[in-house]
Amino acid sequence: MAQVSARKLQDWKDQGFEPGNCPVRQVLDHVSAKWPVLILLELGRKPMRFNELLRALPDISKRMLTQSLRNLERDGILRREVFDTKPPSVTYSLSALGEGFLPHLLALVDWAETGMPEIVAARQRFDTV
Amino acid sequence: MAQVSARKLQDWKDQGFEPGNCPVRQVLDHVSAKWPVLILLELGRKPMRFNELLRALPDISKRMLTQSLRNLERDGILRREVFDTKPPSVTYSLSALGEGFLPHLLALVDWAETGMPEIVAARQRFDTV
DNA sequence: CCGTATCCTATCAGATACTG
DNA sequence: CAGTATCTGATAGGATACGG
């Protein structure tokens, strides 16, 4: 594993990727930020409409929901479909790209859940010193 | 996969996990933030000293490096060893927990790299509309 | 060498009010 | 229903200077 990590980093540096201009990091930032994670998990269950998401995520604001959805849509991770009914309805769903991301996200969440006891213990040790 | 996602979310809600008080998210935030990702990738290659990391990550500031290292140390993801030589030296290395995280991180990076062409295309479509 | 302390700015994110 | 606009407080993050 260390070798993989080492090779990847070297590859990037060979290509002149400074952390600042790395396109991968931009995407990672979008998907791993506060709300996008929750949004993607919700949409992993089923496609949803705007206000449906608003209700499912109790303490998100409209502003943040809109912004997060736009970012994810722009990156092609989710799809936005407008039905010109009255009143209008808009549904959001994962794209193929988004579906491909979900397993990684769940694996990460699993890792964090599994490691929680150890992490909590580490924190207590750190804080009491 | 959708089922896994659905069950997980329901489990959390049953346990009264609001997004705001979710401990998993705190950890995820720490490891997925701007600098920690790069730090973990570097330490995935080999243990490193403070200034060594500073040189490896060209545009990080001391302040941010210190802060990021402390967060990761507090969560027990990396280990900090002080050798009381003169001048003093401090080395950072991944803990078992950190080693366990690395594969997930690399998988995510891989996903992002593989998907980049599609993402770039999606962005252009989005921006030209 | 390995940090801390301070200051200062830019961006993030919540609350509120308004629109097609 | 599905947003946009605006204002404001909180937070992140860079630059610089200093200390053990």
Side-chain angles (χ1 to χ4, degrees):
Chain A
M1 183 54 63
Q3 288 75 0
V4 179
S5 177
R7 206 173 43 66
K8 227 164 227 329
L9 272 172
Q10 203 50 58
D11 282 357
W12 294 343
K13 294 186 175 175
D14 290 348
Q15 291 166 36
F17 274 14
E18 297 301 321
N21 74 10
C22 172
V24 169
R25 272 217 42 251
Q26 296 175 10
V27 182
L28 251 40
D29 275 2
H30 286 165
V31 294
S32 73
K34 181 172 184 180
W35 296 114
V37 169
L38 281 308
I39 292 174
L40 292 172
L41 287 175
E42 290 287 350
L43 292 183
R45 310 214 274 181
K46 63 172 198 288
M48 287 197 196
R49 299 175 46 179
F50 187 86
N51 277 358
E52 209 177 349
L53 279 167
L54 211 55
R55 280 188 297 273
L57 278 31
D59 42 8
I60 194 174
S61 65
K62 282 181 173 191
R63 193 182 180 285
M64 281 302 103
L65 181 55
T66 304
Q67 195 174 105
S68 306
L69 288 171
R70 286 293 175 279
N71 277 336
L72 295 173
E73 186 197 355
R74 185 170 115 91
D75 285 348
I77 288 163
L78 56 77
R79 219 186 344 258
R80 179 174 180 269
E81 285 171 295
V82 182
F83 300 98
D84 213 355
T85 56
K86 204 177 144 168
S89 87
V90 179
T91 75
Y92 294 90
S93 54
L94 293 183
S95 68
L97 209 55
E99 297 273 5
F101 174 70
L102 202 56
H104 297 306
L105 180 56
L106 289 170
L108 228 59
V109 170
D110 241 22
W111 168 83
E113 272 190 318
T114 307
M116 259 332 275
E118 203 172 331
I119 292 172
V120 170
R123 283 184 186 169
Q124 285 185 347
R125 242 176 295 130
F126 188 92
D127 292 341
T128 56
V129 172
Chain B
M1 184 54 63
Q3 287 75 0
V4 179
S5 177
R7 206 172 45 65
K8 227 164 228 330
L9 272 171
Q10 202 51 57
D11 283 356
W12 294 343
K13 293 186 177 178
D14 291 348
Q15 292 168 34
F17 275 14
E18 297 301 322
N21 73 7
C22 171
V24 169
R25 271 217 43 250
Q26 295 175 13
V27 182
L28 250 41
D29 274 3
H30 286 164
V31 294
S32 74
K34 181 172 184 179
W35 296 112
V37 169
L38 281 308
I39 293 174
L40 292 172
L41 288 175
E42 290 287 350
L43 292 183
R45 310 213 275 182
K46 64 172 197 289
M48 288 199 197
R49 300 178 42 184
F50 187 86
N51 277 0
E52 208 177 349
L53 279 167
L54 211 55
R55 279 187 296 273
L57 278 32
D59 42 7
I60 195 173
S61 65
K62 282 180 171 189
R63 194 182 179 284
M64 281 301 104
L65 181 55
T66 304
Q67 195 174 106
S68 306
L69 288 171
R70 285 294 173 279
N71 278 336
L72 295 173
E73 185 195 357
R74 185 171 114 91
D75 286 349
I77 289 164
L78 56 79
R79 219 183 348 255
R80 177 173 182 271
E81 285 170 296
V82 182
F83 301 97
D84 213 355
T85 55
K86 201 177 148 171
S89 86
V90 179
T91 73
Y92 295 91
S93 54
L94 293 183
S95 69
L97 209 54
E99 298 272 5
F101 173 71
L102 202 56
H104 296 306
L105 181 56
L106 289 170
L108 228 59
V109 170
D110 241 21
W111 168 83
E113 272 190 318
T114 307
M116 259 331 276
E118 203 172 331
I119 292 172
V120 170
R123 283 185 186 168
Q124 285 185 347
R125 242 176 294 129
F126 188 92
D127 291 341
T128 55
V129 172

